[in-house]
Structure formats: C-alpha cells, structure tokens
Amino acid sequence: MKITASSYITPTGAFLNGQLKFTFQSENWLKESYQQLELDYPKFHKMDHLSKMTVLATELIQSEGSLSELKDDELELLFANTNASQHTDMKFIESYTQQGNPSPSLFVYTLPNILTGELAIRNKWYGENTFFIAPQFDSNLFAERLYHASQKGGTWCLCGWVDSKVDEKNQVTEECFLFLVALNGNTADRSSFASALNELLTNYRKGNSGNSNR
Amino acid sequence: MESNVFLSYGTLVTPIGIGIDANFKSLKNGISGIQQKEHAGFKQENWFLSTMENLQGNRFNTLLETALNDLKKSYPEALLSDQKTCFILSSTKGNIDHLAGDVFASARTLIGNITNNPNDVIVISNACISGVIAINTAADYLRYSGFDTVIVIGIDVVSDFVLFGFQSLFALSDEPARPFDKNRKGISLGEACGIIVVSKEKTTASSVEYLSGASSNDANHISGPSRTGEGLFRVVNKTIERAAIPHSEIDFISAHGTGTLYNDEMESIAFMRCELQNVPTNSLKGFFGHTLGAAGVIEVIVCMLSIEHQLLFESKGFEETGTTQEINLVKQTHPASVKTVLKTASGFGGGNAALLIRK
C-alpha cells in the first residue's frame, strides 16, 4: 500500500503532491479552478459542490500521470466525509419550503455517493465504489479498507475525503483531499500507513491556512 | 482459501411485522405494507407508502431502538458488547430530522448505548446499494480485520424530504408498486430496519454461508439506469466468478426491482446478458416498498427465509411481462428447492452491487 499521488482543494487554493498549483481569487473558486485546469466538460456546471471538487481534484492527479492505462474496472473508489450531502440537502429543503416546489435537479445530488458516480461517468470507470460517513477524517478506516482491497487482489484505489458543510450562519466550509494508492508491492502495515495519511492531510491543512490571506 | 463467513438474521422491523416470525407470516400470507396515505405528499397529494403509523417521537430513533431491542432478545449482551464485535450501519439519509446537524450521530449514540459495544460504528451511505455493500464490507472486516462478529443494520424512514424528492422526479407510482409488470408506474416508498449478524461460524440452524460479493458503477448517468445494464452485468459476473461456482448453481435471484420503467428494464437486460433469465426471480418492493438504505439488508433476510423454509415468495404486483427481456418472475409463493441465492441492488450514482449466499 503506497500513496503515489495526492491533491487537495479548498476555497483558497489547489495543491498537487504537496505543491501549490494555484490560488483562487474569487468567490467562484470552483469555476476558477475549472478554467485553470482548462477543462471542457459542460456537465461540470450542473454538479453540486462535492462532485465539482472531486472532479477537479481528480483532474489534478491525472495531470501528472493518467489513470487511463488501467483496465476500466481496475480502479476502486473509496470515499468518505462527515456531512454526507448536507450542503445540497439544505438547498433542496429550501426549494420546497421557500421556493414553492421540490427541485429534482437538487434532489438527485442529495446523496454523497453521487460524486463517485460523476467520477465514473467522466472517466468511464466501472470499478468498485463505496461511500463512508465518519465523524472526522478517519485514516484508520481508509487504511483498513485499502488493506481489504489489497487482500482481495485489488491493484489501485482512488480515495477521497470530500466535505461541504453549511453552518447555522450559512457559512460554508469545504475541503477535498484525494490520494491515489497502489495496493500491491509495498506491504506497509496499516497503522503506519494511517499515520502517514494523517500527516499528509495535516500538512495540506497547514499549507492551506498559510495561503488564506486573500 | 478464504475463511468461511456466515450470515444469520438478527431482526426485521417493517410495516408488516416486528421480528422475523411476524414478517415471515405476513410474506407467506401475501400481506403487503403498502397502503394509500392521505395528504402525505407535497401539495397534500395522496401516495401509496409502506410506513409504520406507530413510530412515536423521532421516528428514525424509535425504529432503530425497536430493532436493537428485538435483536437483544435473540443475541446475548456479551456478544453485542464484545470488543471483537463491530457494527456497520447502512442508511441513505439517517436521522433526517436532525438536518442541518449530523444525521448519523443519533444512530452511533443509540447503538453504543443499547449494546455497550466499544467500537466505532462504521457508516455506509451509498444510495440504494448501501445494504448489499454493507454486508460485503462486513465479510471483509471479518476476514481481514480480526473481528469475530460484524452486525449489519440497514435502516431508512420515509420523510417529507425523500417523498417530495421522488415526487419531483415523477418516480412515484399512483398505485402499489408493481416491479417488472407491464403496467408498472414507479416506486412506492417504504421504511424498515433489518439486522444481519455476520460471523465466522454457523450460529443458528438458519445461518447461511456468504460466498462472495462485489460492486460496480454503470458510468452512465447519476439518476438514470444504464440502457445496457452494464454495471449490473459486470457485478453479477464478478460475484459469480469470485464464488467460483457455475451459473447453473443459482436457484433464485432476489432482484432490486423498484417498479420504475427504466430500472426494471435495465435489470432484465442485465440478467439476460448474464444468461440468468430462466432463474426464478422476485422483487420484494411490492411487499415493503423501496426502503432505500435498508432494502439490501431486509431483502437478504428474506432470501435467508426462502432458504430456511424452502419457499419462494411471490413478486408481488407482477402479473404480465413488461420488460423487453422476459425473465422468470415468481408469480405465486410456492415451495421450491432453494440452495444458492443471488441478491442484487442498483441505485442512484450509477451503483450496482451483488452478493451470493448458500445453504
């Protein structure tokens, strides 16, 4: 189990493999990131924030080494967050409590695993996928599930911690951390893998806060 | 060779019964939980739902408490609280009344308080395939993570949120759901809680062996099923390959069968592509409605009842073939030799999952 690439996106900036790729200037940072990455994928604009962040962070990872050489069902998707689809859930509730009608285009994004669906569609990936909910970033959960995947003969896993939370003051907190794992070969034990994973995210979070003066 | 994994039913709480025996009796007698509920929908519309009138207070918590207390009648507290036992919760929306807060927090607390289990509850929220994925995940935790017992809870309740949402998608049927039927019009929403105990040994006479499981994405559309059934086709084949059994050994398929035009059509295509079109198949959505995150768990429990009682349950609501590929739906409940069963699920986000169990 070895992390071969990682990316991290928040409203302040985007990182790839620990390096700052760009900082965002505007409120519309997701669109800014889309333009920075020179994406041409109109479906992007219909997505919720979780899916947008995930698609962007995956593009970042693929910008330095495509995953297209893998078989179309070889890559397992392993994602998690704390707040499920709460950000879109609140918008959907607003559509029927305040705007007169439940919105079908919001409703279809009121499940966290829709983001893995968007990734699968974008990249034509047919592999295994699971979405977990954990009270906070849970490196042990990832380490354990990656170990299971390796024991079952899996080879590659794209993992993500992607969260979007609206608080009572309507402030949105968003974060997307992706890491690509080669499952075979290196047989690092699960607890040291989990520690390394925690350290990686901690560094991203620190680095990110250092660039937040905009 | 991987170590053996067995599934035993814990409990089943649905509108047609509290406990395994009560549900078995209702299923056998053809009693469905789906009824017309006045003014339930958005703009006070009437819809057919499979709901429990008697869930007091916070309905999600009450349902979970009822199920856990029933589980305690048949499983000793020492097992539930053991450090080598862990819980996996499968739910799409959790305690949705707790929005904007953490909708899964109350379940974690309740499970901890009622069972005294010291481990973190693992929560899976992967749309309508959550239940099947949760059982597959439980098998992994048992085989590779040193647990002796993993307890899978599938639960979802009907809420304005979910009802209004499906209403907005025009996915609800204006009569009880009729999966795979020519005149099917959509889904009936339902609520339920099912619990399965996953262990390394056969704990009861009714325990079944878990052979294999897998998941696969359609890579097609987030809310519409694939026209070719690609994801389901792949996941069924993968599951059969992992079990290393011939297709011919499958005696029965418990399909997802929601009752929508496109879903049921997709499933029929996938089963035909897998050359399983002649295997007796049912959907239980005509009994329980679509219970979302609970569906996979409660339907696997019913598969276990089919194996235990050597009885196939009718695919309620089905009368006439309504898919371009004709599959072998169970029209009437009847005795049959049932040894090996395939369970499938498909859901929003393009997810498909399957598992195989054997007597």
Side-chain angles (χ1 to χ4, degrees):
Chain A
M1 280 161 35
K2 186 171 183 279
I3 298 172
T4 63
S6 66
S7 60
Y8 185 75
I9 298 184
T10 70
T12 52
F15 295 75
L16 174 64
N17 297 329
Q19 302 296 312
L20 180 68
K21 292 298 277 188
F22 30 84
T23 51
F24 302 124
Q25 310 301 323
S26 71
E27 287 291 304
N28 203 347
W29 58 281
L30 289 164
K31 193 174 177 191
E32 224 179 291
S33 179
Y34 176 87
Q35 287 162 343
Q36 288 271 13
L37 284 161
E38 296 175 350
L39 282 186
D40 180 17
Y41 192 57
K43 271 186 193 165
F44 176 86
H45 304 289
K46 290 184 183 171
M47 295 177 192
D48 71 335
H49 282 209
L50 293 176
S51 302
K52 281 183 176 171
M53 287 192 284
T54 308
V55 165
L56 293 167
T58 306
E59 292 296 319
L60 267 174
I61 282 184
Q62 296 211 77
S63 68
E64 286 192 6
S66 171
L67 296 167
S68 61
E69 280 161 29
L70 300 181
K71 279 188 287 179
D72 65 3
D73 66 348
E74 200 174 348
L75 187 70
E76 177 165 345
L77 303 179
L78 191 54
F79 280 73
N81 73 11
T82 297
N83 295 290
S85 53
Q86 186 253 12
H87 189 174
T88 307
D89 291 355
M90 300 311 286
K91 288 183 189 170
F92 175 67
I93 290 174
E94 204 179 292
S95 75
Y96 62 82
T97 55
Q98 291 171 42
Q99 286 153 22
N101 272 304
S103 159
S105 55
L106 287 172
F107 182 64
V108 294
Y109 284 99
T110 61
L111 292 162
N113 65 296
I114 296 298
L115 67 86
T116 57
E118 291 287 16
L119 269 193
I121 294 165
R122 164 92 178 135
N123 298 285
K124 287 286 157 206
W125 287 334
Y126 295 90
E128 304 248 357
N129 41 164
T130 317
F131 204 103
F132 291 91
I133 311 288
Q136 61 274 317
F137 178 73
D138 189 343
S139 57
N140 290 316
L141 175 71
F142 281 109
E144 211 61 34
R145 286 303 287 158
L146 286 163
Y147 175 71
H148 297 169
S150 71
Q151 291 298 301
K152 292 198 290 182
T155 50
W156 288 90
C157 196
L158 181 63
C159 303
W161 177 261
V162 192
D163 213 356
S164 179
K165 161 84 182 164
V166 192
D167 69 14
E168 43 302 337
K169 290 175 187 156
N170 237 5
Q171 292 292 309
V172 184
T173 311
E174 304 190 294
E175 179 181 51
C176 175
F177 169 46
L178 255 57
F179 51 102
L180 179 66
V181 181
L183 293 170
N184 44 16
N186 189 326
T187 50
D189 75 283
R190 282 166 272 179
S191 64
S192 60
F193 181 88
S195 310
L197 192 55
N198 273 333
E199 196 183 325
L200 184 60
L201 180 58
T202 305
N203 286 336
Y204 273 129
R205 283 177 173 168
K206 275 188 200 155
N208 183 60
S209 64
N211 289 300
S212 63
N213 301 322
R214 61 172 160 95
Chain B
M1 188 62 197
E2 282 173 329
S3 60
N4 291 340
V5 173
F6 295 93
L7 310 184
S8 311
Y9 46 67
T11 186
L12 188 51
V13 181
T14 78
I16 57 171
I18 296 179
I20 299 287
D21 294 346
N23 276 281
F24 175 66
K25 209 171 152 192
S26 293
L27 286 165
K28 208 174 150 190
N29 293 328
I31 296 167
S32 164
I34 304 172
Q35 289 179 356
Q36 181 165 320
K37 305 285 168 171
E38 307 255 313
H39 314 304
F42 188 68
K43 299 211 164 126
Q44 306 292 307
E45 284 182 35
N46 303 334
W47 289 110
F48 283 86
L49 303 172
S50 176
T51 51
M52 287 170 258
E53 300 290 340
N54 50 356
L55 290 179
Q56 304 293 329
N58 181 290
R59 305 182 75 253
F60 176 89
N61 287 347
T62 307
L63 178 57
L64 183 57
E65 273 174 35
T66 307
L68 287 169
N69 286 326
D70 195 64
L71 179 75
K72 282 167 84 172
K73 289 180 193 162
S74 38
Y75 287 86
E77 214 156 332
L79 176 83
L80 305 182
S81 62
D82 196 293
Q83 207 164 358
K84 290 205 149 195
T85 297
C86 80
F87 282 80
I88 298 183
L89 183 86
S90 157
S91 182
T92 61
K93 299 309 294 178
N95 192 346
I96 197 165
D97 292 346
H98 279 198
L99 275 172
D102 183 345
V103 294
F104 297 99
S106 75
R108 294 177 199 281
T109 308
L110 274 176
I111 294 167
N113 289 348
I114 294 177
T115 68
N116 289 317
N117 186 277
N119 296 308
D120 291 340
V121 176
I122 298 160
V123 178
I124 292 178
S125 183
N126 209 100
C128 309
I129 68 168
S130 303
V132 174
I133 290 189
I135 296 166
N136 291 340
T137 304
D140 291 343
Y141 271 90
L142 206 67
R143 278 175 175 151
Y144 311 120
S145 292
F147 287 104
D148 290 337
T149 306
V150 183
I151 299 175
V152 179
I153 305 175
I155 179 169
D156 259 314
V157 291
V158 172
S159 59
D160 285 355
F161 185 107
V162 173
L163 180 57
F164 297 178
F166 279 101
Q167 205 175 331
S168 78
L169 294 176
F170 299 101
L172 298 177
S173 171
D174 61 3
E175 59 176 352
R178 306 178 64 174
F180 298 106
D181 188 72
K182 195 178 168 188
N183 297 313
R184 69 189 182 278
K185 296 175 181 170
I187 68 169
S188 301
L189 281 173
E191 58 194 6
C193 181
I195 304 184
I196 289 177
V197 179
V198 187
S199 50
K200 289 178 178 167
E201 275 144 38
K202 238 176 145 102
T203 53
T204 64
S206 56
S207 300
V208 299
E209 190 180 356
Y210 168 91
L211 296 179
S212 62
S215 69
S216 170
N217 202 287
D218 271 342
N220 175 66
H221 194 277
I222 56 164
S223 58
S226 153
R227 298 272 168 145
T228 60
E230 185 65 23
L232 184 57
F233 167 72
R234 287 180 183 231
V235 82
V236 167
N237 281 340
K238 201 183 273 185
T239 301
I240 295 172
E241 256 168 52
R242 283 181 179 171
I245 60 164
H247 283 52
S248 57
E249 274 190 23
I250 297 172
D251 298 314
F252 168 65
I253 302 171
S254 173
H256 189 56
T258 61
T260 67
L261 280 177
Y262 294 116
N263 173 77
D264 297 2
E265 173 70 9
M266 178 280 285
E267 288 185 54
S268 76
I269 292 168
F271 292 141
M272 187 273 298
R273 290 180 65 194
C274 295
E275 296 178 7
L276 293 170
Q277 68 273 22
N278 296 324
V279 178
T281 299
N282 80 6
S283 158
L284 292 163
K285 304 292 193 291
F287 281 104
F288 300 116
H290 192 350
T291 58
L292 311 174
V297 177
I298 70 171
E299 290 163 10
V300 167
I301 291 174
V302 178
C303 292
M304 295 165 68
L305 289 170
S306 278
I307 292 173
E308 180 183 3
H309 298 278
Q310 295 291 289
L311 192 67
L312 291 182
F313 298 105
E314 64 177 303
S315 194
K316 202 164 186 58
F318 175 79
E319 282 170 12
E320 209 180 325
T321 298
T323 50
T324 50
Q325 302 305 324
E326 188 166 352
I327 56 173
N328 181 10
L329 286 149
V330 181
K331 279 192 170 178
Q332 279 165 344
T333 300
H334 65 86
S337 167
V338 193
K339 193 176 174 214
T340 306
V341 174
L342 173 72
K343 171 70 203 140
T344 69
S346 304
F348 278 4
N352 295 275
L355 61 80
L356 273 166
I357 53 175
R358 186 167 63 187
K359 186 181 181 178

